[in-house]
């Protein structure tokens, strides 16, 4: 059963520490997204990549967040330094470019990385 | 800018009591409207994609419908295991592949 895999599932860290979240997209998917979910804001897009190239990172605080795709099977989201307001669930999702026949435009989510910054 | 508004925020039903969830949207050229289900502690699980007004899709007790301004998720004779948060999202022609999500409807079905 193909799925998006995220690590770590849970992370508690102290303010100022670096946090790295990793994502393995579904094999064959060429578009990878990072979303953040909080009670106040709901699901908001941080960044997304197509064919490993960043297409849009306008939702991401540039001073402390960075997102990369070192290869087609790995996406990373890094926060440095972390702050308490970064506490949230971070979801990775993957899909195919609109217009392709397989699975249409649907994107599939991982189980999330639950981050608490104290 | 694409916008999605879901109502109600929360809904409590008795088992077997049918109802509907609403998703109102504004988008520049709808590429797709998506329904997801999210259980506590889990990621959103894909349910349906609707592409054009008049389209309907069904899955077990759920049926999604689409007009030019809104979508409904009809739940027929719900069971306690249907309790979850239901999320609606749109993908517009000018937004690339991104989905814009609503705040969700938290559904509770009591036995």
């Amino acid at each position: 059963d193909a799925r998006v895999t995220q690590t770590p599932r849970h992370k508690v860290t102290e303010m100022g520490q670096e946090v790295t979240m990793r994502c393995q997209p579904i094999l064959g998917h060429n578009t990878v997204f990072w979303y953040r979910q909080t009670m106040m804001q709901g699901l908001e897009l941080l960044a997304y990549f197509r064919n490993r190239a960043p297409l849009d990172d306008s939702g991401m605080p540039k001073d402390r967040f960075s997102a990369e795709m070192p290869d087609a099977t790995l996406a990373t989201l890094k926060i440095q330094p972390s702050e308490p307001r970064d506490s949230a669930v971070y979801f990775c999702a993957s899909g195919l470019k609109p217009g392709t026949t397989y699975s249409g435009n649907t994107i599939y989510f991982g189980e999330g990385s639950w981050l608490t910054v104290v | 800018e694409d916008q999605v508004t879901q109502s109600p925020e929360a809904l409590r039903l008795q088992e077997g009591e049918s109802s509907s969830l609403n998703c109102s949207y504004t988008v520049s050229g709808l590429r797709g409207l998506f329904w997801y289900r999210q259980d506590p502690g889990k990621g959103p699980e894909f349910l349906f994609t609707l592409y054009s007004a008049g389209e309907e899709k069904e899955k077990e007790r759920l049926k999604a419908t689409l007009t030019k301004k809104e979508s409904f998720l009809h739940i027929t004779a719900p069971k306690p295991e249907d309790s979850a948060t239901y999320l609606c999202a749109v993908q517009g022609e000018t937004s690339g592949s991104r989905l814009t999500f609503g705040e969700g409807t938290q559904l509770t079905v009591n036995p």
Side-chain angles (χ1 to χ4, degrees), chain A residues 22-34:
Chain A
R22 294 177 174 81
C23 168
Q24 181 176 8
I26 293 173
L27 186 65
H29 281 187
N30 63 354
T31 310
V32 176
F33 305 80
W34 284 105

Side-chain angles (χ1 to χ4, degrees), chain A residues 9 31 33 35 37 40-43 45 48 50 56 58 91 97-98 104-111 114, chain B residues 31-32 34 36 38 40-46 48-49 51 87 91 95-103:
Chain A
R9 287 298 319 278
T31 310
F33 305 80
Y35 278 87
Q37 187 174 42
M40 297 299 294
Q41 300 291 333
L43 269 167
L45 180 69
Y48 81 99
R50 177 162 300 134
D56 187 350
S58 59
F91 287 106
K97 179 179 182 295
N105 303 328
T106 303
I107 69 171
Y108 298 88
F109 284 78
E111 297 288 24
W114 298 69
Chain B
R31 181 169 278 156
F34 301 79
Y36 287 83
Q38 186 173 23
K42 301 283 189 180
E45 175 189 347
F46 170 71
F48 304 109
T49 307
Y51 295 103
L87 297 165
Q91 190 176 65
S95 57
S97 299
R98 74 173 68 199
L99 297 184
T100 299
F101 282 86
E103 297 293 318

Side-chain angles (χ1 to χ4, degrees), chain B residues 61-81:
Chain B
R61 296 176 292 282
L62 300 177
K63 183 168 84 172
T65 62
L66 181 65
T67 73
K68 289 186 177 180
K69 293 183 179 181
E70 57 192 350
S71 176
F72 291 93
L73 185 65
H74 306 278
I75 303 176
T76 303
K79 298 182 178 181
E81 53 262 42

Side-chain angles (χ1 to χ4, degrees), chain A residues 60-71:
Chain A
M60 208 164 63
K62 302 291 191 305
D63 56 338
R64 298 184 300 107
F65 284 58
S66 61
E68 295 180 344
M69 279 201 75
D71 61 60

